[in-house]
Amino acid sequence: MNRRRFISTTTASALAAPFVKAQSKTSLNGAIIGHGEHRYRVDLEWCKANREKHPVKNCHEMVMDAQKRLIMITDEAKNNILIFDKEGKVLDAWTLKLRGGHGLSLDVRDGKESLLLCDPGGGRVVKTSLSGEVVLELPHAKDCGAYDAVTKYAPTEAVAGPNGDIYVADGYGSQFILQFDAAGKFIRKFGGNSTQAMNAGKFMQAHGVTIDTRGPTPLVLCTERIRNEFHWYQLDGTYSHSVYLPGAFMSRPVIAGDLLLSGVCFGMKPNDYRMWRERGFIIILDKNNRVISAPGGQQPKYEGDQVSLLLQDQPVFRNVHDVCVDDAGDLYGCQWNADQVYPYKLHKV
């Protein structure tokens, strides 16, 4: 069967969710997952994109703008950015021909929205308009005094702070958080690589970064994916504290009101504490950073102040790279290495 005939005779739902096997599709699409007040109905067929026109490789990250559009970055050079409405229709698409579009954050300043895009393959951090015009490109770490000529730089995420400073997570490089001012001048770096769990505030993989605005003062919040931790820092890079979430190899941190969410890209198995693919789920933490729901995962349990091992329960997701929260509280799960699936939607119950 040739490719054109295959596409014309294959249902849109199968194209959108090839991982869901036929015998389990009915039970997973429409299934209720999550816990407590944060339960969701699974919608595997949310995305209405045409795969011929708007292909994806890995759906890395997604944000919602003031127009309630869902903006997603993918490492497909044909369309680095896809923009959806909440019903899954593609509204726009554009590309900077990034080698590996990965990080995507929304910067709102003086009533104007911009995007921060990261390409670890090209070592680039670019600020653009919502329609793709480049506003600013940060200098490479080797060109601004942050790194020497041999230190690896592969930024995975960037976020703007309250005063416009930009914090860059070098998650596939040398595990520093680099701080630039709003004009792109390098200020400092903090964090850095460590294979020792007792070295607080350092990283094996500084995968994601955001600004945590839930407390009395804003803090820089970073993901330590390999060690299953979140790290918090003051805006000047001074280490504050960490939270350990065993079993959860998280992607980036996402703040939504009083909640902290993250997609679990890799997971563990019962009695097997290695890092496994296709064990993904989502975690939701309250304002006290306690896990209160794990859509796709087992119900979180605590022993004192420490959450017990977090594990996948239902195989809705393979490898969750990001979770986006819309204005209605619905979630969108973006996945890495999942047969090029578009995002799934979780409707709040």
Side-chain angles (χ1 to χ4, degrees), residues 96-125:
L96 299 180
K97 299 189 182 301
L98 300 178
R99 289 167 52 187
H102 186 280
L104 176 70
S105 295
L106 189 67
D107 179 19
V108 183
R109 202 156 307 281
D110 300 324
K112 185 176 181 179
E113 295 178 304
S114 301
L115 299 173
L116 285 168
L117 284 65
C118 287
D119 175 8
R124 298 180 66 189
V125 179

Side-chain angles (χ1 to χ4, degrees), residues 63 131 151 162 177 224 248 256 264 269 306 332 341:
V63 296
S131 55
T151 302
I177 308 299
E224 165 43 84
V264 175
K269 299 178 182 180
Q306 178 60 56
Y332 304 81
V341 296

Side-chain angles (χ1 to χ4, degrees), residues 60-134:
H60 276 134
E61 296 188 347
M62 177 183 279
V63 296
M64 172 172 272
D65 68 7
Q67 301 175 60
K68 298 181 173 50
R69 303 183 307 165
L70 297 156
I71 305 173
M72 186 188 77
I73 190 167
T74 173
D75 49 1
E76 168 57 62
K78 183 176 180 179
N79 37 237
N80 288 149
I81 296 292
L82 291 176
I83 302 178
F84 303 91
D85 64 18
K86 292 197 296 181
E87 285 67 51
K89 177 183 176 182
V90 176
L91 302 176
D92 196 6
W94 50 267
T95 185
L96 299 180
K97 299 189 182 301
L98 300 178
R99 289 167 52 187
H102 186 280
L104 176 70
S105 295
L106 189 67
D107 179 19
V108 183
R109 202 156 307 281
D110 300 324
K112 185 176 181 179
E113 295 178 304
S114 301
L115 299 173
L116 285 168
L117 284 65
C118 287
D119 175 8
R124 298 180 66 189
V125 179
V126 182
K127 185 175 183 179
T128 75
S129 69
L130 298 188
S131 55
E133 292 82 15
V134 175

Side-chain angles (χ1 to χ4, degrees), residues 28-33 40-44 316 344-347:
L28 289 174
N29 195 39
I32 304 300
I33 61 175
Y40 304 86
R41 176 174 55 81
V42 175
D43 185 353
L44 303 179
V316 174
Y344 298 158
K345 183 170 183 175
L346 303 183
H347 299 265

Side-chain angles (χ1 to χ4, degrees), residues 35 38 40 223 228-230 243-254 259-266 280-286 289-298 300 307-312 317 320 322-323 325 331 346:
H35 308 93
H38 299 279
Y40 304 86
T223 309
N228 307 158
E229 292 179 319
F230 287 126
V243 168
Y244 174 50
L245 304 173
F249 297 86
M250 297 91 68
S251 295
R252 72 153 160 187
V254 175
L259 301 177
L260 165 59
L261 303 91
S262 189
V264 175
C265 196
F266 308 98
F281 52 99
I282 293 169
I283 52 173
I284 303 174
L285 289 72
D286 66 13
N289 297 318
R290 292 176 66 91
V291 185
I292 54 175
S293 182
Q298 297 179 2
V307 70
S308 300
L309 184 67
L310 296 161
L311 296 171
Q312 185 189 73
F317 298 104
V320 188
D322 190 32
V323 55
V325 188
L331 308 183
L346 303 183

